[in-house]
Amino acid sequence: MKSTHTIVRRKSKQIFVGNVAVGGDAPISVQSMTNTDTNDIKATVAQIQAIQNAGADLVRVSIPTMAAAEAFKAIRKQVDIPLITDIHFDYKIALKVAEYGADCLRINPGNIGRADRVAEVVASAKDHNIPIRIGVNAGSLEKDLQKKYTEPTPEAMVESAFRHIDILDKLNFDNYKISLKASEVFMTVFAYQQLATQIDNPLHLGITEAGSLRAGSVKSSIGLGLLLSEGIGDTIRVSLASDPVDEIKVGFDILKSLSLRQKGVNLIACPSCSRQKFDVIKVVNELEARLEDINEPIDAAVIGCVVNGPGEAKAVSVGLTGGDPNLMYIDGLTHSKVSNENLVDELEAQIRSKLKHPKD
């Protein structure tokens, strides 16, 4: 079903994180971050691969120590997805991971010491042609800004961002993206709205420390949805106290709901009621689990009765309407009768068949 609204995205310059374009007219990329001990190379590689298999475009890895930097060297050789390295304070770590193949440095220039050290990191980023992400967080604003504003505010976050931007500008470095994250939705939204009108660099969106899978998904959907609906945002992370794979799934669901990016099955399903002719919830959950490997976009509908069923089922590639009998629709036309015992098998088969033969 086509969206009735087209979002006009903010015009931003384009940078590259590895082979992934960020900004400009590139698709909004989805990323997550490993939560393994980076020194545990095997576990970190396995998690990166799981995140990649879930559909991620980018993965961020924390590099808190020089030992972790050495581990990163081995990790980089074992995965093929672009890796962003998260570094705080120690400029030597940034230099080392740039040498070892980092695709982006997440490092705030103002937090890594003397001007000559900052210049050395920026020079390395130039030499290796890798971007920097400036990451402002409401919970770690500079002490003088905390004193000036008394508490985190959107204005304080934007002022902090410009301090880091100014450092890079003076070094003639514009290959960067920026994030302005807070755990409070409106503080985050207002900060991004302010910054979006003042620069044209790509923006990385996120509601930081959003919470558990359920609560964090809701909070992130609201905050990111508000910004994305205004055309703001070039890459996103949904920050959840959950498996990083969940972050990727929720991120794509947010983008799909706004028709900003299509990936995998867009499953339309009714909430079920006493009119249902089959167990809608059970069917949907099982079908969703079976189809997680699909990356190609396709719309499917599972509706439990004939009140809204035919209309929804006819508007998608593969649709099912509960009734006596249940009816399968393919491209808007009645296709077959389906018994309750075979619903999931038949739906899966028809969806996979449609992806293999889209014109049939």
Side-chain angles (χ1 to χ4, degrees):
M1 185 177 294
K2 291 184 178 180
S3 173
T4 57
H5 175 67
T6 299
I7 293 172
V8 179
R9 290 178 59 191
R10 161 183 169 270
K11 293 182 179 180
S12 62
K13 65 171 293 183
Q14 190 171 90
I15 66 173
F16 280 84
V17 179
N19 61 358
V20 174
V22 177
D25 59 357
I28 296 170
S29 55
V30 180
Q31 59 182 273
S32 183
M33 185 174 182
T34 57
N35 58 20
T36 53
D37 179 352
T38 304
N39 292 299
D40 188 337
I41 296 169
K42 183 178 180 180
T44 303
V45 167
Q47 190 171 69
I48 290 171
Q49 291 172 339
I51 295 169
Q52 183 177 13
N53 290 339
D57 303 292
L58 307 167
V59 177
R60 182 154 50 111
V61 181
S62 180
I63 314 292
T65 64
M66 195 59 74
E70 294 300 324
F72 174 79
K73 182 179 181 180
I75 292 165
R76 173 69 284 176
K77 294 177 180 178
Q78 297 182 48
V79 299
D80 57 8
I81 191 170
L83 298 180
I84 302 161
T85 51
D86 193 277
I87 302 141
H88 295 277
F89 310 122
D90 191 339
Y91 81 106
K92 291 182 180 179
I93 295 177
L95 297 174
K96 188 60 69 174
V97 294
E99 176 188 341
Y100 289 161
D103 296 292
C104 179
L105 302 176
R106 189 278 191 225
I107 185 166
N108 288 348
N111 294 344
I112 56 173
R114 301 191 311 258
D116 60 326
R117 294 177 176 178
V118 176
E120 196 172 348
V121 171
V122 171
S124 179
K126 286 181 180 179
D127 290 343
H128 293 92
N129 193 29
I130 55 178
I132 288 173
R133 172 158 81 88
I134 296 171
V136 175
N137 192 303
S140 57
L141 292 171
E142 295 87 334
K143 290 183 179 179
D144 65 312
L145 291 179
Q146 294 179 33
K147 183 176 180 181
K148 176 180 177 179
Y149 290 94
T150 69
E151 62 183 3
T153 67
E155 292 74 19
M157 294 170 68
V158 172
E159 185 171 341
S160 176
F162 271 109
R163 289 186 178 183
H164 301 296
I165 290 170
D166 289 344
I167 293 171
L168 296 182
D169 285 348
K170 289 175 182 177
L171 294 168
N172 297 313
F173 186 86
D174 64 356
N175 188 16
Y176 61 86
K177 52 181 175 166
I178 306 168
S179 65
L180 299 165
K181 297 185 180 182
S183 58
E184 203 281 319
V185 168
F186 287 108
M187 187 184 302
T188 304
V189 170
F190 295 155
Y192 277 111
Q193 288 173 333
Q194 290 178 32
L195 188 64
T197 63
Q198 300 181 61
I199 64 168
D200 64 356
N201 292 76
L203 296 179
H204 165 94
L205 302 189
I207 305 296
T208 194
E209 298 146 1
S212 64
L213 176 58
R214 187 185 71 181
S217 296
V218 172
K219 186 184 288 188
S220 295
S221 297
I222 294 170
L224 300 188
L226 286 168
L227 290 165
L228 292 167
S229 67
E230 295 180 7
I232 297 172
D234 302 287
T235 180
I236 66 171
R237 181 196 175 189
V238 178
S239 299
L240 302 175
S242 187
D243 189 321
V245 167
D246 293 329
E247 297 187 350
I248 301 302
K249 294 178 181 178
V250 175
F252 270 105
D253 284 344
I254 291 171
L255 295 178
K256 283 195 290 187
S257 69
L258 295 169
S259 297
L260 283 168
R261 191 166 174 186
Q262 300 301 321
K263 175 189 170 297
V265 181
N266 177 33
L267 191 55
I268 298 161
C270 68
S272 79
C273 69
S274 61
R275 295 193 305 267
Q276 66 182 0
K277 297 299 183 178
F278 56 87
D279 189 335
V280 173
I281 294 173
K282 181 180 179 181
V283 168
V284 168
N285 286 338
E286 185 173 346
L287 186 65
E288 189 173 59
R290 288 195 191 186
L291 301 177
E292 283 189 345
D293 64 302
I294 292 176
N295 290 320
E296 302 94 331
I298 186 170
D299 292 334
V302 178
I303 312 297
C305 76
V306 296
V307 175
N308 297 319
E312 293 286 358
K314 290 177 182 178
V316 296
S317 296
V318 178
L320 175 72
T321 296
D324 297 312
N326 305 313
L327 292 178
M328 184 83 71
Y329 293 80
I330 306 295
D331 292 331
L333 300 176
T334 304
H335 178 269
S336 58
K337 301 174 183 179
V338 188
S339 68
N340 282 14
E341 292 74 23
N342 298 322
L343 288 181
V344 179
D345 289 341
E346 284 295 319
L347 279 164
E348 180 184 10
Q350 292 299 334
I351 289 170
R352 293 190 184 277
S353 175
K354 189 62 186 171
L355 288 169
K356 288 182 180 179
H357 311 285
K359 294 182 180 180
D360 292 352

